[in-house]
Amino acid sequence: MKSTSATTISARLPLLGITMGDPAGIGPEVIAKAVAGRRLRNVCHPIVIGSFPVMEQTIKALNLKLKALRVDSHERQPWREGTVAVLDPLEQPLKRFTQGVAAAATGAASVAFIKKGVELAQIGCIDGIVTAPINKEAINMAGCCYPGHTELLADLTRAKESGMMIIGGPLRIMFVTTHVAIKDLPSLLTRAKIEKAIRLAQLALTQLFGIKKPRIGIAALNPHAGEHGLFGNEESRVILPAARAAQARGILASNPLPADTLFGKAVHGEYDGVVALYHDQGLIPLKLMAFGTCVNLTVGLPIIRTSVDHGTAFDIVGKGLADPGSLLEAITLAATIARVRP
């Protein structure tokens, strides 16, 4: 009777594709550790989209009580304790590669895993994807000229607009820019880009998190929000007009607020989400609050996609030190969204 009940519960759980990321990075390790634990049993039905031999070798190297099962389709497999389904989309097995080193072959493989995951999610075969980290140098070596997952996924799904939100602890932060040089920020911060980030924050908070009237805090760029132009004019020139445009559409967005106080207010519940202008402005408070458990959520895609908040960590590959915490949180968030999303 218990076995039948467990099978019924498993059948109702979201079916999530977990893409391996770069096989030379810590993706295979954090996936193996995550699926070997008991936490995911009542969260989702996972299927790893990646290299089957790499998954097997990783499990063996970590001495886990886990067995990889090769599957040839996305079909939901009967849940078996101590096993993980692996769908390998590569036409040819990966040749020998060096762990912790960027290479065209592993970069191309990581892109193939993403494409397969997106394909399955778009046709409704799986309920969403959770992505382990890719290496930007490696995918570019393979001829995939994107700065990261977010831009690649937007093209693959033909999303009209999308952006990166990172969730950690009580913080939900949408970014106007991501991987850009600080010296280029003033020219990159346009009213249109800021308005887009506010729209996406509103979309995420209402449709994915179920907050009916979310309060969104808008970070300023300069100290003291520019001090009326004394420390810069980006606030009056582009940030405030973007905030006012959002307010006119009924979005509960703030005027630009000094970042050194805004994030504290968000932590204490005064704001449901924050729009950060650049990478470190949002990531520093996030990682102070929830280092190792933050989740990257791509907003605006027609599919559910979450990801870890870390890179391939080439420096610790093969040492058994990788922490699966962020991946576990990413899987849990994707499953939660899949259960409530229309």
Side-chain angles (χ1 to χ4, degrees):
M1 188 70 179
K2 288 183 179 179
S3 176
T4 303
S5 177
T7 301
T8 302
I9 292 171
S10 177
R12 293 173 181 170
L13 296 176
L15 178 60
L16 298 178
I18 305 175
T19 61
M20 181 176 281
D22 194 306
I26 62 169
E29 180 180 339
V30 294
I31 292 173
K33 288 179 176 178
V35 298
R38 299 176 65 87
R39 175 174 167 180
L40 297 185
R41 182 179 301 182
N42 297 319
V43 172
C44 74
H45 193 100
I47 179 170
V48 177
I49 303 172
S51 166
F52 183 80
V54 170
M55 203 71 236
E56 271 196 322
Q57 293 160 14
T58 303
I59 291 169
K60 183 178 180 180
L62 293 171
N63 197 28
L64 295 173
K65 293 181 180 179
L66 184 68
K67 182 179 180 182
L69 297 178
R70 186 190 291 271
V71 296
D72 297 321
S73 72
H74 64 275
E75 296 299 328
R76 188 185 301 265
Q77 306 297 313
W79 181 80
R80 301 180 200 172
E81 187 169 3
T83 65
V84 58
V86 181
L87 175 62
D88 190 337
L90 300 180
E91 294 182 4
Q92 298 293 331
L94 272 173
K95 294 181 179 179
R96 186 183 296 272
F97 61 88
T98 304
Q99 288 186 320
V101 176
T106 55
S110 66
V111 173
F113 305 151
I114 296 164
K115 288 182 176 179
K116 187 63 176 180
V118 169
E119 174 193 337
L120 293 176
Q122 283 191 300
I123 60 178
C125 294
I126 57 177
D127 298 307
I129 61 173
V130 182
T131 60
I134 59 175
N135 182 273
K136 297 173 182 63
E137 180 184 1
I139 67 169
N140 277 268
M141 290 169 69
C144 183
C145 300
Y146 290 89
H149 263 115
T150 304
E151 297 80 6
L152 173 58
L153 289 165
D155 274 4
L156 289 175
T157 60
R158 298 181 181 179
K160 292 181 179 179
E161 62 179 18
S162 61
M164 181 178 78
M165 173 176 274
I166 299 187
I167 298 94
L171 294 173
R172 305 180 187 97
I173 301 180
M174 177 63 65
F175 291 80
V176 176
T177 66
T178 51
H179 301 107
V180 300
I182 293 292
K183 65 180 178 63
D184 296 330
L185 268 175
S187 62
L188 293 173
L189 292 175
T190 64
R191 174 175 167 175
K193 288 180 180 178
I194 298 167
E195 285 189 46
K196 172 188 170 183
I198 299 171
R199 282 197 305 273
L200 290 173
Q202 174 79 0
L203 175 69
L205 294 169
T206 54
Q207 295 191 12
L208 304 183
F209 292 97
I211 303 171
K212 292 183 179 180
K213 294 182 179 180
R215 299 156 300 169
I216 302 171
I218 313 300
L221 175 66
N222 298 298
H224 299 196
E227 199 72 76
H228 302 290
L230 185 63
F231 304 135
N233 67 359
E234 285 80 11
E235 285 73 23
S236 60
R237 184 169 55 83
V238 289
I239 306 173
L240 181 59
R244 291 276 171 82
Q247 293 161 5
R249 292 195 300 274
I251 296 175
L252 302 180
S254 74
N255 291 340
L257 298 171
D260 59 353
T261 57
L262 170 58
F263 292 101
K265 290 179 179 181
V267 166
H268 290 99
E270 292 187 40
Y271 294 99
D272 300 297
V274 172
V275 171
L277 302 177
Y278 60 96
H279 185 277
D280 283 14
Q281 186 181 57
L283 266 295
I284 290 172
L286 271 165
K287 294 193 175 183
L288 279 171
M289 293 298 302
F291 185 80
T293 59
C294 295
V295 177
N296 184 330
L297 170 66
T298 306
V299 181
L301 300 180
I303 64 172
I304 295 169
R305 181 264 176 164
T306 63
S307 185
V308 295
D309 73 331
H310 56 73
T312 46
F314 280 167
D315 57 322
I316 62 168
V317 175
K319 298 179 181 179
L321 301 176
D323 184 348
S326 181
L327 181 64
L328 286 165
E329 294 295 332
I331 294 170
T332 301
L333 178 60
T336 301
I337 294 172
R339 287 194 294 267
V340 302
R341 188 174 183 177

